[in-house]
Amino acid sequence: MTERVGFVTMGIAESSDVEIPALGVGMLGYAFMGKAHSNAFIKMPYIFWPPPARPRLVAIAGRDQKAVGEAARRFGYARTYRRWQDLVADPDVQVFDNGAPNDLHAAPCIAAAQAGKHIICEKPLARDAAEAKSMLDAVEKANVKHSCAFNYRFVPAIRLARDLIEAGKLGRIFHFRATYLQEWITDPEFPVVWRLKRNRAGSGALGDLGAHIIDLARYLIGEPREVNALTRTFISTRPSASRPGTRERVDVDDAFISMFDFANGAVGTLEASRFARGRKNANRFEINGEKGSIAFNLERLNELEVYLPDEHGTREATGFTNVLVSESYHPFWGVWWPHGHVIGWEHLFVHEIHHFFDAIVNDRAVAPHGATFVDGYRAAVICDAILASAKGRGTPVKVTY
Ligand code: SOE
């Protein structure tokens, strides 16, 4: 279905006769990521106007029929399914979006690839590298577009950081130092939800938060050749979420700390924890190079701390500059507002969905700025290496894809 875009009566868009195709979307999952992705599907076409394609919300699926029905009404999906198999079989679905828990990433994505759907799947791609590889093989065999939703690649400040590094502004990179800190399970009475179970999530803070900073390490610095690490589970049993009145063992990490030896000679320290009291969603990194440094904090997502002494300031007045990344010439900013009118966490998904739809409609590569299933697989290999090192009391483990 396409639509002619004529003169908009409110005069808010240039009259044009550009044809806008539609792409049918099938969404698996209706909770946190179902909401974040659905919000992006709805916003993308009028923020990136004219869009590469208009998302058509064909169907949403999930096990709780009442909750899925409510989500369909709330977001505007035409149909609902209880079984993901029916969603990926729907001929009107051209883009399959997997926002389900990690144990429901592989089978639905492999089936969707075999059905010829383009696929965006939430991170981590899978529970381990072997499962991730089976997904990568399926999408490559089906020759469909694929993306692993590492949404932080679509922060304007992080894309600016990558541009600065790529332009050689920092010169040779010495350090990548990243922490991703939250606090949401510090209470011992917080129940064992799916993110705390190995058979559902694959790992704990490592795959949930660590995967993000591992992906950013690869996107900004390059490939690690060896890692060593330790993991810790601070609270070993919690109330069961599925069997009230009983307690369950926690079989995933609450935190990990690691060292990265990058192939380009840089060194890194990466850690993530869900026990950092006071830290809400503190994904932070600092990069030190021969010509200067940059630092980012997700809790101040429109800002980038930049220290480039050769580029600005006098020797006496040189130090880190806090750049508000909102100028018209900054990444993504052309579609938003005048400078200083900042954006939020939800808008990263709008950028991400636009990037994926543009890749589909105009047959462009998702990489390097969008993460693909190759990136999802490589992050899984690195997570496995971190767990292997931790199991071996911190012995170094080589990273081989
Ligand atoms: C929970 O830890 C969570 O929602 C992660 O799953 C997301 O990937 C992260 O962006 C925010 O925190």
Side-chain angles (χ1 to χ4, degrees):
M1 178 187 83
T2 60
E3 57 174 306
R4 295 189 76 75
V5 176
F7 185 76
V8 176
T9 46
M10 294 164 59
I12 54 172
E14 292 159 22
S15 67
S16 72
D17 58 0
V18 65
E19 294 280 333
I20 297 184
L23 277 176
V25 171
M27 180 78 226
L28 176 58
Y30 52 84
F32 183 9
M33 286 300 122
K35 176 180 172 184
H37 286 228
S38 299
N39 176 61
F41 288 128
I42 294 164
K43 268 192 174 71
M44 184 276 284
Y46 61 75
I47 291 296
F48 284 87
W49 181 260
R54 189 183 288 281
R56 191 148 43 85
L57 304 186
V58 170
I60 186 166
R63 281 175 284 218
D64 180 331
Q65 202 53 27
K66 186 169 180 294
V68 173
E70 183 63 15
R73 283 180 56 227
R74 179 179 184 183
F75 302 123
Y77 287 92
R79 297 190 274 280
T80 63
Y81 293 112
R82 199 171 176 290
R83 300 174 64 247
W84 59 260
Q85 292 87 340
D86 298 328
L87 181 75
V88 299
D90 189 322
D92 293 336
V93 170
Q94 295 148 295
V95 177
F96 172 60
D97 185 325
N98 195 332
N102 304 347
D103 61 321
L104 266 180
H105 285 184
C109 284
I110 290 169
Q114 290 166 346
K117 317 294 188 186
H118 302 294
I119 304 166
I120 182 165
C121 179
E122 259 302 323
K123 43 56 62 183
L125 186 64
R127 291 172 290 184
D128 59 30
E131 193 171 64
K133 186 67 168 61
S134 68
M135 299 167 73
L136 174 56
D137 292 345
V139 293
E140 289 184 334
K141 184 177 177 189
N143 194 27
V144 293
K145 298 291 183 183
H146 48 93
S147 183
C148 183
F150 283 113
N151 56 306
Y152 296 127
R153 291 185 178 212
F154 291 93
V155 178
I158 293 180
R159 183 66 61 82
L160 176 61
R162 164 123 173 176
D163 292 346
L164 289 170
I165 294 167
E166 294 278 288
K169 294 288 186 184
L170 271 68
R172 178 186 166 198
I173 303 296
F174 301 128
H175 290 278
F176 178 76
R177 192 173 302 108
T179 60
Y180 199 158
L181 307 177
Q182 295 179 347
E183 63 171 3
W184 58 283
I185 55 169
T186 315
D187 177 357
E189 293 311 300
F190 189 97
V192 178
V193 294
W194 73 262
R195 279 189 169 87
L196 303 182
K197 298 166 74 80
R198 183 179 302 283
N199 68 331
R200 299 290 313 276
S203 62
L206 174 61
D208 187 27
L209 303 176
H212 278 297
I213 50 179
I214 288 166
D215 180 66
L216 289 177
R218 294 188 55 251
Y219 181 59
L220 296 168
I221 310 302
E223 298 295 356
R225 59 181 163 214
E226 189 173 87
V227 297
N228 54 343
L230 69 82
T231 59
R232 187 57 41 87
T233 303
F234 297 112
I235 295 174
S236 54
T237 66
R238 291 176 176 271
S240 169
S242 51
R243 296 192 305 278
T246 66
R247 295 185 74 80
E248 273 187 68
R249 193 172 69 81
V250 175
D251 59 357
V252 295
D253 56 286
D254 290 328
F256 85 97
I257 296 175
S258 66
M259 290 192 291
F260 276 48
D261 174 4
F262 290 96
N264 61 12
V267 292
T269 54
L270 286 78
E271 69 170 292
S273 177
R274 291 162 164 166
F275 277 71
R277 296 295 308 264
R279 296 300 179 197
K280 310 304 176 180
N281 196 25
N283 177 353
R284 296 182 292 185
F285 64 77
E286 178 166 320
I287 298 170
N288 308 126
E290 66 182 325
K291 296 181 184 174
S293 298
I294 47 180
F296 173 78
N297 177 1
L298 179 64
E299 291 180 354
R300 302 171 71 103
L301 84 83
N302 291 279
E303 301 170 27
L304 191 67
E305 295 283 328
V306 179
Y307 177 69
L308 292 172
D310 302 341
E311 301 271 330
H312 55 64
T314 59
R315 200 156 59 111
E316 294 71 20
T318 294
F320 273 93
T321 301
N322 182 38
V323 176
L324 187 60
V325 184
S326 68
E327 302 294 346
S328 57
Y329 48 80
H330 279 145
F332 303 106
W333 213 263
V335 299
W336 293 106
W337 322 114
H339 57 195
H341 295 65
V342 295
I343 61 173
W345 182 82
E346 67 173 287
H347 303 115
L348 311 181
F349 295 87
V350 179
H351 300 160
E352 187 171 49
I353 291 300
H354 170 262
H355 183 82
F356 192 52
F357 272 50
D358 179 52
I360 293 169
V361 171
N362 298 306
D363 193 20
R364 292 197 173 109
V366 173
H369 295 302
T372 67
F373 279 24
V374 173
D375 300 297
Y377 164 65
R378 292 188 172 191
V381 169
I382 296 166
C383 285
D384 284 5
I386 285 171
L387 290 175
S389 174
K391 198 169 180 183
R393 301 296 302 157
T395 49
V397 173
K398 291 213 179 306
V399 174
T400 48
Y401 299 129

